[in-house]
Amino acid sequence: MINRAYAVLTGLVCLLFASGAFADQPFPWQMGMQPAASPIMHEIRWFEQYTLWFIVPITLFVLLLLIVVVVKFRASANPVPSRTSHNTAIEVVWTVGPVLILLFLAIPSFNLLTAQLTLPQNPDLTLKATATQWQWNYEYTGEKPLAFDSYLLKDDDRAAAGKEDKAVYPRLLAVDNEMVLPVNKVVRLLVTAAPTDVIHAFAMPSFGVKIDAVPGRLNETWFKAEREGLFYGQCSELCGKDHAFMPIAIRVVSQEKYDAWMAAAATNLQEANKTLMAATDLKKTVDVAANAE
């Protein structure tokens, strides 16, 4: 009886938090990066952990040296200060040591930069993101061009949009119209800002993407989302009084759902979004509930 009650309680808890399980977003007291959802972000997370093997020992070593100097060379222990002005061995060590450390950091760093800046020859999809104060406009190229604006979702509009669950659609990060992309497809992203606007920046932490949106200039980057879900980012360049209210939301779905959304969005974007939300949000809730059983 106790096991049955525990199973029921576990199922209810899973259902309660099921909708938030597929949304990548910051959380309180977060110490690390968001989970990787692209090949580049996997490399970034690896490089961050790799650099810690250098940062932590160096920090502890410097701290140890400071303690030794404070204790050993304090005025009471050394009434007559040392007049040492040169030590060849020490100078060789503190010159060669940092050079070797920088070499071990530079090689993987350059490899990561090369991977980020080398654009795929034949991307599966090309999008353009245009920033203005304070919203984003997304343009899909292809046989059926599609363009729409993406604004911060206001609390008064949550019910009408069907986005009342703040675990999935958090305050200050949720938008009225998400960018929708197919999973496991290479996306070429063109980023700019309106000609008369200011500099913005398109940042999506889970994809390892951060690129400036400059008026009159077209910057280019790429990514490939490896899993479905709802991913959040923000403008990361101070762009005016509402800079903090310029979020980015990307919904990654299967190719079939993407094709259906694209076909429907050409005539009615809002209905297409609601249909896609119903399919993706319900599927996640059902999956988690089934696992709980």
Side-chain angles (χ1 to χ4, degrees), residues 77-232:
N78 293 271
V80 180
S82 171
R83 295 182 178 273
T84 303
S85 61
H86 180 77
N87 187 300
T88 302
I90 292 178
E91 292 183 5
V92 169
V93 170
W94 73 34
T95 301
V96 175
V99 170
L100 292 176
I101 292 172
L102 291 175
L103 183 63
F104 278 101
L105 293 176
I107 293 175
S109 175
F110 290 152
N111 289 337
L112 176 58
L113 287 174
T114 301
Q116 287 180 306
L117 299 176
T118 302
L119 300 173
Q121 293 295 324
N122 298 304
D124 298 299
L125 184 66
T126 298
L127 280 86
K128 182 180 179 182
T130 303
T132 58
Q133 293 176 315
W134 288 269
Q135 53 94 20
W136 294 91
N137 174 269
Y138 301 128
E139 297 179 48
Y140 290 71
T141 60
E143 296 181 0
K144 296 181 179 180
L146 174 67
F148 57 85
D149 294 330
S150 180
Y151 290 90
L152 173 74
L153 181 65
K154 298 179 180 179
D155 289 339
D156 295 340
D157 299 330
R158 284 183 174 273
K163 298 179 178 180
E164 297 176 283
D165 186 355
K166 292 186 178 181
V168 180
Y169 305 102
R171 180 177 176 270
L172 302 183
L173 286 178
V175 300
D176 56 352
N177 300 313
E178 295 95 0
M179 178 193 295
V180 179
L181 298 173
V183 69
N184 290 322
K185 298 295 182 180
V186 176
V187 178
R188 175 173 174 251
L189 182 65
L190 308 176
V191 182
T192 188
T196 58
D197 213 270
V198 299
I199 298 177
H200 301 269
F202 187 99
M204 182 54 61
S206 291
F207 297 162
V209 171
K210 183 177 180 181
I211 187 167
D212 285 345
V214 182
R217 177 174 177 175
L218 199 63
N219 286 332
E220 189 173 2
T221 188
W222 74 279
F223 60 88
K224 184 176 77 171
E226 297 179 320
R227 55 187 170 87
E228 297 181 37
L230 192 54
F231 304 90
Y232 290 105

